[in-house]
Amino acid sequence: MINFQYARAMDVADAVRQIAARPNAKFIAGGTNLLDLIKENVERPSWLIDVSRLPLTQIDQTAGGGLRIGAMVPNSDLAYHPLVEQRYPLLSSATLAGASAQLRNMASVGGNLMQRTRCMYFYDTATPCNKRSPNSGCSAIEGMNRNLAILGTSGSCIATHPSDMCVALAALEARVHLKGPAGDRTLPFSDFHRLPGDTPQRDTNLDTHEIITAIELPPRGFADNYSYLKIRDRLSYAFALVSVAAALEMEGNIIGEARLALGGVAHKPWRRPDVELALRGQAANEVNFARAADLLLQDARGYSHNAFKIGLARRAIVRALSQAARRTPQSQSNKKIA
Ligand SMILES: Cc1cc2nc3c(=O)[nH]c(=O)nc-3n(C[C@H](O)[C@H](O)[C@H](O)COP(=O)(O)OP(=O)(O)OC[C@H]3O[C@@H](n4cnc5c(N)ncnc54)[C@H](O)[C@@H]3O)c2cc1C
Ligand code: SF4
């Protein structure tokens, strides 16, 4: 374990001031990812700025009819919040598919967006990894890549983003609220995470010294026809091999509106608005769902150990869309622990 100094931020402005003033500083929220990375010698911050006590723990309705979720809301509070359960059950379901009850109690919404990849070489400092150590090489492309990406990869990195919550946020077209030394700004969720390109060390478009303050959901919640389907090696406490967030608005058996995002297959939640547009006006049946899956996966490329994900994703997309259309969402079977 490296030596580091610790300071607690008093308010959001203070957090931004402190991160800008301290050399090599990192925010710490629940610590469920960052502390592991420090223990593995992957992250070596000189300062930890504790943001866990910031007043960003509210979930409020917005004037426009959506929901604003503070960045420090614990994952479990988000999943079980009555407004989220009722109006955005896709988000509740995806959040409950992640980690374990104990971890969800500790983990914050902002930290979930910022968690790092689970590529095993990223955590193994004895091996080359462009994400951990730029220009050192990628051990996964010719190595153990079973869990890694099939879409949006580059010659520098084939890592995936491991979040479940983010897949639902992408499908729901959330916005990310940020604050930095230059002021406040918001990003569409689809612009928050990056593809690896030749800078895989950058996971997101968050600027240095910026903090996530909130996530905003639009009014449309797809509360009737949705499903979050997560395929993984174990039923719980495992990251997704492939996951699908599917949300539909139905007019009889005809699709009025569709949202579709994939997890476990790319460096960011994978979404193609043109595929969703193509589903509009179509009958909700397996032929049309399979066509959407083929379109969404048309640029997929398998590596030595993960080509199976292409067929798996295709079947998962068809199943999740069918579940959404039938109003039989995948159950996460996570009862609230009082
Ligand atoms: C064993 C295990 C299994 C897991 N399984 C899953 C799973 O199946 N699905 C899933 O989605 N997740 C899973 N997780 C990941 C877990 O959800 C994340 O670790 C957690 O969401 C991170 O939140 P945190 O508050 O603990 O972040 P921290 O560990 O405190 O921070 C993580 C990163 O976020 C940054 N950060 C935190 N808050 C902010 C902010 N407001 N603004 C800017 N930067 C910030 C920190 O600087 C740090 O770089 C698992 C974790 C573990 C340990
Ligand atoms: S896939 Fe990315 S994270 Fe994994 S070894 Fe290659 S560069 Fe590192």
Side-chain angles (χ1 to χ4, degrees):
M1 191 77 176
I2 58 155
N3 287 324
F4 56 82
Q5 298 193 70
Y6 169 91
R8 178 172 293 161
M10 306 310 289
D11 54 39
V12 177
D14 183 43
V16 172
R17 215 166 22 244
Q18 290 209 43
I19 200 99
R22 316 273 198 204
N24 193 21
K26 294 224 54 131
F27 293 130
I28 185 163
T32 61
N33 189 212
L34 183 55
L35 289 179
D36 282 353
L37 290 165
I38 294 174
K39 284 189 268 187
E40 297 289 344
N41 219 10
V42 176
E43 296 271 13
R44 301 177 57 82
S46 306
W47 278 88
L48 289 184
I49 312 298
D50 185 347
V51 291
S52 64
R53 310 277 176 93
L54 294 182
L56 301 173
T57 53
Q58 294 295 312
I59 298 181
D60 297 310
Q61 307 214 52
T62 63
L67 222 54
R68 186 184 166 102
I69 301 159
M72 290 304 136
V73 172
N75 287 196
S76 20
D77 289 11
L78 173 71
Y80 294 122
H81 193 282
L83 287 173
V84 178
E85 283 185 317
Q86 284 156 25
R87 294 185 50 199
Y88 305 92
L90 177 66
L91 178 57
S92 181
S93 179
T95 305
L96 290 175
S100 64
Q102 292 88 340
L103 282 160
R104 291 193 295 271
N105 287 340
M106 284 299 293
S108 64
V109 167
N112 192 292
L113 267 63
M114 293 295 291
Q115 63 176 298
R116 309 295 313 265
T117 184
R118 293 284 157 172
C119 172
M120 60 185 271
Y121 300 106
F122 179 69
Y123 286 76
D124 180 357
T125 54
T127 60
C129 168
N130 288 324
K131 184 179 281 298
R132 173 172 32 78
S133 176
N135 302 318
S136 63
C138 171
S139 301
I141 289 176
E142 301 290 334
M144 295 302 296
N145 46 44
R146 181 173 180 274
N147 291 340
L148 301 186
I150 53 172
L151 284 160
T153 56
S154 74
S156 299
C157 179
I158 59 170
T160 56
H161 191 263
S163 169
D164 291 293
M165 178 195 296
C166 291
V167 185
L169 290 172
L172 290 167
E173 298 193 321
R175 292 188 73 83
V176 189
H177 288 250
L178 308 171
K179 189 182 208 44
D184 297 348
R185 65 181 180 127
T186 66
L187 279 178
F189 202 83
S190 54
D191 293 344
F192 183 75
H193 295 102
R194 294 162 60 97
L195 290 178
D198 54 9
T199 53
Q201 67 275 19
R202 288 197 65 194
D203 293 345
T204 73
N205 286 316
L206 192 78
D207 285 342
T208 329
H209 308 148
E210 274 186 320
I211 186 169
I212 303 167
T213 52
I215 305 294
E216 188 175 334
L217 296 174
R220 182 181 261 154
F222 298 92
D224 293 327
N225 295 90
Y226 72 93
S227 187
Y228 185 74
L229 177 61
K230 178 176 180 179
I231 311 288
R232 48 190 150 173
D233 285 331
R234 294 186 304 266
L235 193 56
S236 72
Y237 205 42
F239 291 93
L241 286 168
V242 168
S243 68
V244 185
L248 301 171
E249 272 182 8
M250 301 297 299
E251 292 154 13
N253 191 41
I254 301 298
I255 298 165
E257 193 69 51
R259 296 281 188 279
L260 193 56
L262 301 183
V265 297
H267 205 254
K268 60 188 286 188
W270 193 259
R271 193 179 155 226
R272 287 252 311 260
D274 60 319
V275 176
E276 298 166 2
L277 208 58
L279 276 168
R280 268 200 218 160
Q282 302 294 312
N285 60 42
E286 290 205 359
V287 173
N288 288 330
F289 294 157
R291 197 174 296 133
D294 289 339
L295 205 52
L296 193 56
L297 294 166
Q298 70 181 2
D299 296 325
R301 169 191 172 184
Y303 292 81
S304 45
H305 301 286
N306 73 353
F308 75 96
K309 278 193 178 190
I310 300 173
L312 184 65
R314 186 178 189 275
R315 293 189 297 277
I317 291 166
V318 173
R319 188 161 135 205
L321 283 168
S322 303
Q323 290 174 329
R326 286 197 308 260
R327 296 192 179 197
T328 54
Q330 182 71 26
S331 163
Q332 304 305 342
S333 64
N334 281 308
K335 297 272 180 284
K336 185 170 185 175
I337 297 172

